[in-house]
Amino acid sequence: MNQLFSLPFHQPVVIFTLVLLLILAAPVVFRRLRIPDVVGLILAGVAVGPYGFNLLERDASFQIFGQVGILYLMFLAAVEIDMYHFKKNLKQGLVFGLITFIVPSVLGILAARYAFGAGLTTCLLLASMCSSHTLISYPVVSKFGLQNAKGVILSVSATIIAVLLALLTLASVVKLQSTGVFDAMEILTLLLYTALYAAVVGVVFPWVTRFVFRKMSDAVAQYIFILAMVFIGAVLAQLIGLEAILGAFYVGLVLNRLIPGRSSLMHHIKFIGNAIFIPYFLIGVGMLINVHVIFSGWKVAWVAFNMVVVALVSKWIAAWIAQKSFGLTPTDRRMMFGLTSGKAAATIAATMLGYQYGIINEDIMNGAVLMILVCCLVASVMTERTAIRLRIELTAAEMEETGVERPEFARQIVAVSNPITAEGLMRLAVFMRSPKNTEPVTALFVRNSDDPKSLRAGRYSLRTAAQAAQEMGVQAVEEERFDLNVVSGLTNMIRQNHATDIVIGFHRKTNIVDSFFGQMIDTLLKETLKMVVMSRCFIPISTVRRIVVVAGAKAQYETGFHDWVARIGNLAQQLACKVIFLVSAETSRYIEDIISTDGYGIRRIYQEMTEWDDFILLSGDVGPEDLLVVIGARRGSISYSASQEEMPEFLSKNFAAHNLMVIYPEQFNG
């Protein structure tokens, strides 16, 4: 027992348990401190690593999972790109790659020469370390659905050139240090092998993948095959003298078209990577950081300060040059700086090789490790702040653009299983539709067993819901679906019908530890980004006298903002009732613009709500004949705030007997 819990932990089960707890808890804790998840995981690694509380040592598991994580990160960055936008911006991306390599290299050489008095090989090595970068903050971009933003595409494209040239520089420095001569032929040979590698992988891998996918339909087998392709490409890259990260990135590019963005395969790739491999890599990076060395002497602090300043300033200058050259916005420049200022894989390799071959001393090695930490922190914070700003700008532009292609009318799925609530849910869904909408509404019953009692109830619910729709002059399609669970059935039907809205009844708590929404709703919100409407009415919907709508700050910047305002407008117009909007002053202007422009003839008033805490004071007037509508926000969305964590509990305690509807708008063009 004493050996099991001796520090650092060596027992595999204890190690993996602690890592899982870090992956789970670190983002939650650091998010409350307004620290990005990426930074939180790195700092968690610092805390539990050998230079922190020494709970874990960087053993083989971290080396393996860490390597898998960085390869996964590079592969994911390539496979998520829209190839149309990638090819459209490829030339500018490659030019930016040259800029973001040359500027840091020149400043790195000058700083090493005049600040440290370093020799030629040391100067070149430090130039390699400053010029390379790792897309360590890319998960932030992916979270906000900005993979195809121009600044992101240019940064990802630039990674190919910057990392390749940095690794070629590193190889030349090591060769020069070990032999005393520079072998240009060896570099040319490597470039020739690189071209051959690109041609073979670019032709063979897509052909093999198409063949396998035609023969193999199992989702798990397809995922394992794709993962094998990534690592085969990485191994082949290492065989010709390249870094594995370049191989993984290139495999992602060549397989991009074979992995649709909304496929179940892409879902599996993103889920497993974001859940295990990438967090493991980030924690492993943190475990390399020895923050104590900065206090060991002024020389290490001086070296670290110079390296951090040169690395960040040079990357900022490169982004500024690219912005001015390509006519980009300041937001694009900040995004490019954020993505290209992070350092991990190539920089760590250069540091270790440089120390191993005696090119750099211990002070410079420690300074480089601190540079990696600071650059990772700056990159993550800058990328997250810029991603929020960019998402707001893009959404605002889409709202103002008149020619945006969007579904003219809602395509609704009404999930039913209870005959008591089926009719009310269908009537609510029909009232929320535009009267001009001729699309049929789908009544869906999902079952995962042949239990006679639930089967009878579900089929009766379908008939009841369909009859209610037909009575209101709307065509209804009855769908009974057998699936693993309700969420799978719903999400599969959403894809099949290209649905825009899912209307579902509120979950009934079965025990004291059950959540207000229930596990099924929580899972549904994670599995689909489409609009989800949850409703519970104790009175017929047609008898509602007032609708009280509560929305948080920045709700207008969510993708589905226009749609939920339209649904409320249709509902209030059909019911001829007043709407009270409890929103911020800025949000109220956007709501009023939609209501006026779309011509909803409804009575409405606006009450200013700056914080979710204000809702507690303003909601006391909600009566039994009112319908309280709460606009939720998925975790990680622009309008999400920590206060919303308490929203379900607050609704459960204070509105258990009220008519309630919770809407989670569509997010990131779900």
Side-chain angles (χ1 to χ4, degrees):
M1 181 65 71
N2 291 335
Q3 292 181 350
L4 184 64
F5 294 104
S6 61
L7 298 181
F9 297 124
H10 292 93
Q11 215 281 337
V13 176
V14 176
I15 293 174
F16 198 70
T17 301
L18 182 56
V19 171
L20 290 179
L21 291 175
L22 287 176
I23 294 173
L24 179 67
V28 176
V29 173
F30 286 101
R31 193 179 296 124
R32 292 185 178 276
L33 301 175
R34 299 185 180 275
I35 295 176
D37 295 355
V38 173
V39 178
L41 288 168
I42 293 174
L43 294 178
V46 175
V48 302
Y51 305 112
F53 294 107
N54 196 29
L55 301 180
L56 299 174
E57 61 181 4
R58 202 171 189 276
D59 58 10
S61 68
F62 283 97
Q63 296 176 23
I64 293 172
F65 276 92
Q67 185 68 14
V68 172
I70 186 59
L71 296 182
Y72 215 104
L73 184 62
M74 298 300 291
F75 169 71
L76 194 59
V79 81
E80 282 192 317
I81 293 177
D82 186 313
M83 292 305 292
Y84 170 79
H85 292 94
F86 179 75
K87 290 181 177 179
K88 183 179 178 181
N89 296 284
L90 182 58
K91 290 183 179 179
Q92 290 184 346
L94 297 181
V95 172
F96 177 47
L98 288 173
I99 296 172
T100 201
F101 170 78
I102 293 172
V103 173
S105 295
V106 172
L107 292 183
I109 290 173
L110 293 176
R113 182 61 181 166
Y114 293 104
F116 311 143
L120 175 61
T121 54
T122 303
C123 289
L124 291 174
L125 182 69
L126 292 180
S128 168
M129 294 161 63
C130 289
S131 60
S132 67
H133 64 261
T134 303
L135 298 172
I136 199 165
S137 55
Y138 183 81
V140 176
V141 170
S142 180
K143 179 179 72 173
F144 284 96
L146 297 171
Q147 300 94 321
N148 297 319
K150 186 160 187 177
V152 174
I153 291 178
L154 294 184
S155 300
V156 174
S157 304
T159 301
I160 305 171
I161 296 298
V163 174
L164 178 60
L165 293 178
L167 293 174
L168 289 175
T169 303
L170 175 60
S172 301
V173 170
V174 172
K175 187 72 173 179
L176 184 61
Q177 179 72 9
S178 57
T179 64
V181 294
F182 173 74
D183 191 352
M185 186 56 65
E186 187 173 335
I187 300 300
L188 292 176
T189 303
L190 179 58
L191 291 175
L192 178 63
Y193 282 151
T194 301
L196 182 63
Y197 167 85
V200 171
V201 172
V203 173
V204 175
F205 276 41
W207 182 84
V208 172
T209 303
R210 289 190 183 94
F211 176 80
V212 171
F213 280 11
R214 283 195 294 266
K215 302 292 184 181
M216 185 188 301
S217 58
D218 180 67
V220 175
Q222 287 185 349
Y223 172 78
I224 297 299
F225 171 77
I226 289 296
L227 203 59
M229 288 287 99
V230 173
F231 283 90
I232 290 172
V235 170
L236 292 176
Q238 288 182 314
L239 286 176
I240 65 171
L242 292 175
E243 277 292 316
I245 56 175
L246 289 176
F249 183 84
Y250 185 64
V251 171
L253 288 179
V254 300
L255 298 184
N256 182 287
R257 294 186 182 278
L258 300 175
I259 307 175
R262 296 182 180 179
S263 64
S264 59
L265 178 58
M266 175 63 85
H267 171 75
H268 294 149
I269 290 172
K270 294 173 68 174
F271 174 79
I272 297 176
N274 292 327
I276 296 293
F277 292 134
I278 295 175
Y280 225 113
F281 160 68
L282 295 172
I283 292 172
V285 170
M287 294 174 68
L288 289 170
I289 310 299
N290 183 3
V291 294
H292 300 292
V293 298
I294 198 170
F295 305 108
S296 62
W298 68 269
K299 193 169 184 180
V300 174
W302 169 248
V303 170
F305 174 78
N306 277 275
M307 294 182 72
V308 168
V309 170
V310 171
L312 294 178
V313 169
S314 61
K315 288 293 184 180
W316 188 92
I317 293 174
W320 179 81
I321 293 173
Q323 178 216 341
K324 296 300 181 182
S325 301
F326 305 145
L328 304 177
T329 66
T331 305
D332 289 324
R333 181 192 68 229
R334 289 191 289 270
M335 177 62 74
M336 293 158 69
F337 168 65
L339 286 172
T340 60
S341 57
K343 299 189 181 297
T347 309
I348 293 172
T351 303
M352 299 306 159
L353 283 175
Y355 186 70
Q356 177 184 340
Y357 281 91
I359 303 173
I360 59 176
N361 57 31
E362 188 173 354
D363 289 337
I364 296 180
M365 183 187 72
N366 290 329
V369 172
L370 290 174
M371 176 189 70
I372 292 170
L373 173 62
V374 175
C375 288
C376 287
L377 300 182
V378 171
S380 301
V381 172
M382 177 60 71
T383 303
E384 177 146 319
R385 291 182 178 179
T386 307
I388 294 173
R389 180 71 255 168
L390 184 58
R391 171 49 62 187
I392 290 174
E393 291 179 0
L394 292 176
T395 306
E398 290 171 1
M399 292 169 63
E400 294 175 0
E401 189 176 342
T402 57
V404 176
E405 184 179 349
R406 56 180 294 117
E408 184 177 1
F409 296 123
R411 291 187 289 270
Q412 298 163 299
I413 293 176
V414 180
V416 297
S417 61
N418 186 345
I420 298 175
T421 60
E423 180 181 351
L425 285 174
M426 180 58 76
R427 292 190 182 279
L428 172 68
V430 173
F431 280 136
M432 296 176 75
R433 295 159 57 95
S434 168
K436 299 177 182 178
N437 190 350
T438 58
E439 294 277 351
V441 61
T442 300
L444 174 65
F445 167 55
V446 180
R447 63 185 179 90
N448 58 3
S449 71
D450 293 320
D451 176 59
K453 185 176 180 180
S454 64
L455 198 60
R456 287 194 301 269
R459 289 175 176 173
Y460 184 74
S461 299
L462 281 179
R463 291 194 298 271
T464 301
Q467 184 177 354
Q470 291 164 3
E471 289 175 358
M472 301 175 73
V474 174
Q475 180 185 355
V477 177
E478 298 180 39
E479 290 280 358
E480 178 182 333
R481 191 181 190 98
F482 185 91
D483 216 314
L484 295 175
N485 51 59
V486 175
V487 173
S488 295
L490 273 171
T491 53
N492 288 330
M493 185 59 69
I494 290 167
R495 297 187 186 98
Q496 179 179 318
N497 288 11
H498 304 288
T500 60
D501 302 21
I502 304 94
V503 181
I504 194 167
F506 253 97
H507 160 77
R508 290 187 178 183
K509 294 183 67 171
T510 57
N511 54 63
I512 194 170
V513 297
D514 198 3
S515 66
F516 180 58
F517 288 158
Q519 182 62 41
M520 190 271 286
I521 295 295
D522 293 337
T523 305
L524 178 63
L525 292 173
K526 295 175 183 176
E527 290 294 320
T528 181
L529 297 178
K530 296 294 185 181
M531 181 187 294
V532 176
V533 179
M534 293 173 281
S535 175
R536 179 195 65 202
C537 280
F538 297 105
I539 61 175
I541 188 66
S542 57
T543 63
V544 169
R545 298 183 62 181
R546 296 190 310 170
I547 301 175
V548 181
V549 181
V550 183
K554 299 182 180 179
Q556 67 271 21
Y557 295 117
E558 298 290 354
T559 305
F561 173 72
H562 186 283
D563 289 339
W564 73 253
V565 174
R567 304 296 184 269
I568 297 298
N570 286 323
L571 180 61
Q573 193 165 263
Q574 294 293 321
L575 301 180
C577 62
K578 181 193 293 185
V579 184
I580 302 172
F581 290 98
L582 306 181
V583 294
S584 68
E586 184 181 12
T587 304
S588 67
R589 291 195 293 270
Y590 283 90
I591 293 175
E592 182 60 28
D593 182 63
I594 293 173
I595 291 176
S596 301
T597 303
D598 291 1
Y600 295 109
I602 61 175
R603 295 171 293 151
R604 64 228 183 238
I605 61 174
Y606 299 93
Q607 295 184 17
E608 187 170 355
M609 186 187 80
T610 56
E611 300 288 344
W612 275 97
D613 291 340
D614 296 343
F615 171 46
I616 299 174
L617 301 176
L618 297 172
S619 60
D621 192 35
V622 179
E625 294 183 338
D626 298 333
L627 174 63
L628 175 63
V629 180
V630 179
I631 308 301
R634 291 173 172 87
R635 183 186 297 275
S637 62
I638 294 173
S639 60
Y640 179 82
S641 65
S643 301
Q644 293 196 20
E645 293 278 359
E646 302 171 4
M647 187 260 289
E649 183 178 357
F650 175 75
L651 294 177
S652 177
K653 287 182 178 179
N654 298 280
F655 295 94
H658 288 72
N659 306 305
L660 180 63
M661 181 162 65
V662 177
I663 300 177
Y664 280 85
E666 179 184 354
Q667 183 182 347
F668 305 150
N669 296 310

